[in-house]
Amino acid sequence: MSVTGVCQICEAAEATHACDQCGTLVCERHYDREHGVCVRCAASLGGEDDVGPGTGMR
């Protein structure tokens, strides 16, 4: 699938991914590669494993 547009979270960077869970278009910074979801969905997965490098969350 081709992703075009602006990140729907930061509204500044180019969207390069689509969340597998909610479909939100996100930039690299707001995409959790491990889970294939945006950082909002990653946070809802729960657990401290979703926070840290590569998740866009601190």
Side-chain angles (χ1 to χ4, degrees):
M1 173 172 80
S2 176
V3 176
T4 59
V6 174
C7 176
Q8 293 176 302
I9 294 179
C10 67
E11 299 181 349
E14 179 183 350
T16 54
H17 303 281
C19 177
D20 291 344
Q21 187 167 332
C22 70
T24 297
L25 300 179
V26 294
C27 64
E28 186 68 33
R29 181 174 165 225
H30 293 107
Y31 186 69
D32 182 333
R33 282 190 178 273
E34 183 179 342
H35 297 102
V37 297
C38 69
V39 293
R40 291 178 181 162
C41 289
S44 71
L45 295 175
E48 293 182 51
D49 293 337
D50 297 321
V51 178
T55 65
M57 304 292 283
R58 294 179 188 224

